[in-house]
Amino acid sequence: MTFDTLNLHPKILQAVVKAGYSKPTKIQLDAIPEILKGSDLRASAQTGTGKTAAFLLPALNRLMNPPINASKGPRILVLVPTRELAMQIATQTEKYSKYLSQVKTVCVVGGVPYPAQVRKLSRPYDVLIATPGRLIDYIDRGKIDFSRLEMLVLDEADRMLDMGFVDPVKKIASCTPSSRQTLLFSATLQGIVIKLSEALLKIPVK
């Protein structure tokens, strides 16, 4: 099976080809159709299995439809445990949205001066990639408008929870619309990860 069979927008497929991908991985084959249907998803996937594309490609595909309202806040939020992972995903997002000139991405992490990030957050954008601590800083300052958020992605959820981000993740989720689609990716699906998924996801596909 090829990416052509996954019902992705032609401009996204063009970027996939440009990136040198030919066949989707198992997690991409399993996850992308369910995400495109609008299902909440709980997925077990290790680093290196292509999981980033498994959520980014259908997320970008969603952006091909008009936003639900005219606010300048994100339509997609990707929450990750570390600055390094956030920056990697931001790079991947820009690669996959290469031919989607209207799609703007902002990456919010610790260790970067606030003014530069505030400037980016003050302009319209579509995809927000963030670590929990820095994102809560901006939520508390009233710098994030989640009114048009359509999708929340929790990547490496087990690692995020191991680092003590259970309450921040719940707080962030509580600030987003209940109508959102929620995707949870984790190397393991057990214990506290399952409890979190039960709290945040609606009848998820596994």
Side-chain angles (χ1 to χ4, degrees):
M1 190 175 285
T2 66
F3 281 99
D4 291 337
T5 63
L6 293 176
N7 296 317
L8 293 166
H9 191 278
K11 288 187 176 180
I12 296 174
L13 289 175
Q14 186 180 357
V16 167
V17 171
K18 179 75 173 177
Y21 304 151
S22 54
K23 292 184 178 180
T25 65
K26 185 176 188 311
I27 189 63
Q28 292 163 1
L29 278 176
D30 290 344
I32 289 174
E34 295 296 340
I35 298 170
L36 290 174
K37 284 183 201 173
S39 303
D40 280 12
L41 189 79
R42 185 167 64 200
S44 175
Q46 302 285 345
T47 300
T49 57
K51 69 177 171 64
T52 303
F55 62 77
L56 280 181
L57 297 180
L60 291 171
N61 201 82
R62 186 165 190 146
L63 297 180
M64 296 302 94
N65 298 318
I68 53 177
N69 67 44
S71 87
K72 64 186 178 185
R75 296 175 63 187
I76 310 293
L77 169 61
V78 182
L79 207 54
V80 300
T82 68
R83 170 185 173 179
E84 292 74 22
L85 182 58
M87 294 170 74
Q88 288 172 24
I89 293 176
T91 299
Q92 294 292 91
T93 306
E94 289 171 4
K95 178 163 56 174
Y96 301 142
S97 61
K98 180 179 177 69
Y99 302 107
L100 309 176
S101 58
Q102 78 277 21
V103 172
K104 305 300 180 191
T105 300
V106 173
C107 183
V108 164
V109 295
V112 175
Y114 281 91
Q117 292 181 348
V118 169
R119 279 195 298 274
K120 291 179 180 178
L121 293 171
S122 68
R123 303 171 189 142
Y125 61 102
D126 307 282
V127 182
L128 177 60
I129 301 153
T131 50
R134 181 58 66 98
L135 181 56
I136 288 207
D137 280 353
Y138 287 121
I139 291 172
D140 289 345
R141 293 171 181 222
K143 299 295 185 184
I144 310 279
D145 178 359
F146 283 129
S147 62
R148 69 173 190 162
L149 191 84
E150 298 170 41
M151 181 185 289
L152 168 62
V153 182
L154 305 175
D155 190 24
E156 297 201 3
D158 50 348
R159 192 173 169 200
M160 200 144 45
L161 301 187
D162 286 343
M163 293 171 67
F165 288 130
V166 179
D167 290 337
V169 168
K170 288 181 177 178
K171 177 176 178 176
I172 290 163
S174 74
C175 296
T176 65
S178 60
S179 58
R180 70 179 189 272
Q181 181 181 13
T182 309
L183 315 176
L184 182 148
F185 286 79
S186 179
T188 59
L189 291 176
Q190 58 189 16
I192 194 169
V193 175
I194 293 294
K195 287 183 179 178
L196 181 70
S197 72
E198 289 172 347
L200 301 185
L201 279 63
K202 301 182 289 285
I203 318 175
V205 174
K206 183 177 177 181

